[in-house]
Amino acid sequence: MSFFTRAAMDALMKTTHPEINRRQCWNLHPHRKPCTECKDICPYGDQIFTRPNLVKDWDPCTECGLCVSVCRSGCIAPSPEQVQRDVAPVDTDNDTIWIGCEKSTRKNSVVRMCIAALSWETLAYLALNKKIVLDLTPCGECENDLCAAQLRKELTRLVDFFGQELFAARFTLAYEQDDAPYHVKEISRREMFEQVSHGSKSGTKKLLQMLPGLRSEEDSGVDFRLLLHQRTRQLKAAYETPLHFGYYLPHFTDKCFGCGRCEKACRAGALKLEDMPDGQTRMVVTPWKCSECGVCVAACSNSGLDGLTLRQLTTLGPVSVHKCTKVLCSSCGKPIAPGTVEGLCSVCRIKERTRKRQEEARARAQQLREEREAKKAAEEAAKAAENGGAAADAAVTEAAGAADAAPVAAPAAAAAPAAEFAAAAAAARAAEDNAAKPEND
């Protein structure tokens, strides 16, 4: 890469830290244990991360790349500078790339804070272009267990990707100081100018790919896997017998009925469900977008996915991994599991049961209302009949009482003049007696 191209890239694409796509973080998906690998492996994790997917301050970041390589879901995207720095050895004139850490006393062409800072995708891309020598002399005395575990994980993944024979042909593990010593290839002036020209063209191409508007948002965070995909496609076109590379893809079972939950759970867009003309649905996985995180497996609730399986691929382009025939819900038209009794999805089945219960409750309420109204009418009729009988009895009693009182009143009225006559006669006799008393004296 020429000086002017490098200066232009530094000026236009100056970024001093990785970028985090929080929507793709493992912690935002169903899980039992939160992931803190990026914060744990970072030398300044407590100063940078408040929690794994939220950054407090990027100033302490040294852009070592450890958080990028350790992220299981690929939500941490490397900066353009890191991508340029990691893939720059491809443009060198040597046929071999010597990679070592800062603690190594050997002379290596590529020196990183730790070899584990280079993701396995980056090492695979470099190995498909040149032979790789990994300086592991300081690893036996290293006290950083997290970096050692990450390096073992990456080497194991590289063996799965290349196969044992191809891995042994492309990688050399230097455990001693004298293993695979570094040497510089002498080139002529013509070869030097050709190398400079090739580097300038390569850098300009990368610069154009990184410019805003010429790079889709879907490609962010998958730079190394995209480069690896492009390289495997070139090798497939160059060789008559294509090489096979191992990649872990979701394994679908016969219980899958194409509900689409795995597709929605995959934030990287690696999984797509496509309807075919014959009525079947196929599951298409794009390996170079897949980070092998397993979120799709955790999102499946019908045991349609039982983990990731290693498959041999010639390129990392889209591949069909499963086919099924959809059975649609009779109410909403969504896919349902074959053999469903009512022919409804779980949501519509709950709605149907709720509707039936509401209708039954409404019918019971109407029946109780009618019974109360009938009882109330019967009580009012009985009360009216009772009030009418009491009034009739009172009238009859009143009439009878009037008839009994009439004969008694007549003799009393007849006896009144006789009593008055007797009283007058008594008064007259008293007066006569009073008048006769003085005469006798």
Side-chain angles (χ1 to χ4, degrees):
M1 185 180 297
S2 68
F3 170 78
F4 298 103
T5 303
R6 187 182 300 276
M9 292 183 66
D10 292 341
L12 293 177
M13 304 303 300
K14 185 67 175 178
T15 305
T16 58
H17 57 76
E19 298 179 359
I20 296 180
N21 183 5
R22 298 187 67 246
R23 294 179 62 254
Q24 198 172 338
C25 181
W26 170 266
N27 291 327
L28 300 182
H29 299 279
H31 60 278
R32 295 182 179 180
K33 184 179 179 181
C35 175
T36 59
E37 293 181 353
C38 57
K39 183 177 180 181
D40 295 339
I41 202 172
C42 179
Y44 305 96
D46 295 332
Q47 302 178 27
I48 296 178
F49 298 94
T50 54
R51 59 176 184 264
N53 58 2
L54 189 61
V55 175
K56 176 173 55 178
D57 186 12
W58 280 114
D59 290 341
C61 179
T62 59
E63 202 176 354
C64 62
L66 285 172
C67 60
V68 177
S69 63
V70 79
C71 182
R72 67 173 68 184
S73 61
C75 71
I76 304 181
S79 65
E81 285 188 355
Q82 182 178 345
V83 176
Q84 174 189 346
R85 182 174 65 251
D86 291 343
V87 301
V90 175
D91 298 328
T92 59
D93 54 339
N94 288 330
D95 297 333
T96 305
I97 302 174
W98 288 262
I99 303 176
C101 67
E102 296 176 348
K103 297 181 181 180
S104 176
T105 58
R106 288 167 48 99
K107 185 176 181 181
N108 297 304
S109 58
V110 177
V111 179
R112 295 289 184 266
M113 177 180 180
C114 179
I115 300 179
L118 295 170
S119 63
W120 75 266
E121 294 96 340
T122 306
L123 293 174
Y125 171 73
L126 296 176
L128 290 178
N129 289 273
K130 298 179 182 295
K131 292 183 178 181
I132 305 296
V133 175
L134 297 179
D135 180 13
L136 304 180
T137 53
C139 294
E141 301 177 356
C142 183
E143 298 179 356
N144 194 332
D145 296 335
L146 295 177
C147 290
Q150 177 63 20
L151 180 58
R152 287 193 297 268
K153 180 180 177 181
E154 291 181 356
L155 292 178
T156 303
R157 185 63 187 87
L158 286 170
V159 174
D160 294 338
F161 182 78
F162 285 102
Q164 189 66 41
E165 296 182 0
L166 187 58
F167 176 82
R170 305 303 300 179
F171 285 88
T172 301
L173 305 182
Y175 295 98
E176 302 294 337
Q177 290 286 343
D178 298 333
D179 294 345
Y182 173 72
H183 64 275
V184 179
K185 178 182 177 182
E186 296 182 0
I187 59 175
S188 63
R189 180 173 301 186
R190 180 185 298 275
E191 291 176 342
M192 181 185 66
F193 281 109
E194 290 179 356
Q195 184 67 34
V196 171
S197 176
H198 175 73
S200 178
K201 293 178 181 179
S202 177
T204 304
K205 182 178 179 181
K206 294 177 182 177
L207 174 62
L208 292 176
Q209 291 177 351
M210 295 178 183
L211 286 176
L214 298 180
R215 180 185 178 190
S216 63
E217 296 181 356
E218 296 181 355
D219 293 344
S220 61
V222 291
D223 301 83
F224 299 127
R225 292 196 297 271
L226 178 59
L227 293 174
L228 185 60
H229 164 56
Q230 294 174 349
R231 182 56 181 168
T232 55
R233 189 169 54 183
Q234 293 174 359
L235 294 176
K236 183 179 180 180
Y239 289 97
E240 296 182 358
T241 303
L243 300 175
H244 288 80
F245 308 99
Y247 212 93
Y248 286 93
L249 300 180
H251 181 258
F252 290 85
T253 65
D254 295 336
K255 295 183 179 180
C256 175
F257 55 89
C259 64
R261 289 184 181 180
C262 54
E263 180 183 5
K264 294 179 181 178
C266 183
R267 300 294 184 180
L271 186 60
K272 296 293 182 183
L273 272 67
E274 298 180 355
D275 294 332
M276 302 178 65
D278 57 356
Q280 289 187 328
T281 300
R282 66 178 182 179
M283 289 65 179
V284 179
V285 180
T286 305
W288 71 267
K289 292 183 179 181
C290 179
S291 62
E292 304 175 358
C293 61
V295 171
C296 54
V297 179
C300 183
S301 60
N302 196 53
S303 300
L305 284 168
D306 61 354
L308 303 176
T309 181
L310 184 64
R311 301 189 60 167
Q312 298 298 322
L313 308 173
T314 56
T315 62
L316 302 186
V319 56
S320 177
V321 295
H322 183 69
K323 291 182 180 180
C324 67
T325 302
K326 284 186 178 180
V327 179
L328 303 180
C329 174
S330 59
S331 178
C332 64
K334 294 182 179 179
I336 60 176
T340 305
V341 178
E342 301 178 0
L344 299 173
C345 65
S346 58
V347 177
C348 294
R349 186 163 56 250
I350 294 174
K351 289 182 179 180
E352 183 66 20
R353 292 177 182 176
T354 304
R355 185 184 63 80
K356 290 182 180 179
R357 291 173 183 173
Q358 291 177 350
E359 291 180 356
E360 292 175 358
R362 196 179 299 111
R364 288 196 300 268
Q366 181 66 21
Q367 183 180 358
L368 293 175
R369 192 181 302 109
E370 293 176 357
E371 291 178 356
R372 286 196 298 267
E373 292 178 355
K375 184 177 180 181
K376 184 177 180 181
E379 291 177 355
E380 291 179 354
K383 187 176 181 180
E386 183 180 354
N387 293 335
D393 293 341
V396 171
T397 304
E398 184 179 358
D404 294 340
V408 176
E420 293 176 357
F421 179 75
R429 286 195 299 271
E432 289 178 357
D433 292 339
N434 292 331
K437 288 181 178 181
E439 292 180 357
N440 296 329
D441 294 339

